[in-house]
Amino acid sequence: MIMYTDLVSTLNDLVRVNNDRSAGYATAAGQTDEPGLQHIFQSMADQSREYAFELNRLLKDMGSEEEVDTSLGGDLYRTWMDLKADFTANSDTSILASCEYGEDVTLRVYNMALTNEIEIPQHVLDVITRQYGELKLSHDRIKKHRDLNKAIK
């Protein structure tokens, strides 16, 4: 199989951002006592694990190794979330705001993948585009919950 260096790098970035997102939502689920939010956070973590698996399968099909790491930025952000939870009253509104920030980062990485100048085979582009659309819906869901939680507090 032909190895597309730029495409592999782009797919690795997408896998890492999904690994970051999954780990971030696992952290968020552990910081709230609200069962409804725990369920939402767990489903978002599961969604990103599924996306990472799907992207890794594409990497393997291209002859590349699977990406299993998270990004340094994501690791630092989760550490900051943990520290914030340790030293402040970590309200659900604050947790949801942190999740919305993570969703913004995820969408930016996907947008960069979709707008860069590399050649992306149609079947790979279809996967990235579908995931991007579904992630936009997830972002809107988190934003809606944040706004509702903010309004009732």
Side-chain angles (χ1 to χ4, degrees), residues 54-88:
E54 189 173 21
L55 294 164
N56 269 321
R57 192 171 57 232
L58 293 171
L59 283 165
K60 284 179 70 174
D61 290 348
M62 288 186 286
S64 182
E65 292 188 24
E66 291 185 4
E67 177 63 62
V68 295
D69 291 332
T70 56
S71 70
L72 178 59
D75 294 342
L76 292 172
Y77 187 69
R78 281 185 300 284
T79 299
W80 177 80
M81 282 179 66
D82 288 339
L83 288 171
K84 187 171 117 180
D86 288 344
F87 292 107
T88 64

Side-chain angles (χ1 to χ4, degrees), residues 4 6-7 10 110-121 125:
Y4 301 96
D6 291 339
L7 180 56
T10 297
Y110 269 81
N111 191 49
M112 287 187 316
L114 290 167
T115 59
N116 67 22
E117 296 296 319
I118 66 169
E119 184 178 330
I120 302 176
L125 184 59

Side-chain angles (χ1 to χ4, degrees), residues 96-139:
L96 285 161
S98 293
C99 291
E100 184 181 4
Y101 172 80
E103 291 292 315
D104 290 341
V105 170
T106 301
L107 290 176
R108 277 196 300 273
V109 173
Y110 269 81
N111 191 49
M112 287 187 316
L114 290 167
T115 59
N116 67 22
E117 296 296 319
I118 66 169
E119 184 178 330
I120 302 176
Q122 189 61 49
H123 73 285
V124 175
L125 184 59
D126 291 345
V127 169
I128 296 170
T129 302
R130 177 183 46 77
Q131 289 182 359
Y132 178 71
E134 292 170 3
L135 287 165
K136 283 173 59 175
L137 294 173
S138 294
H139 171 275

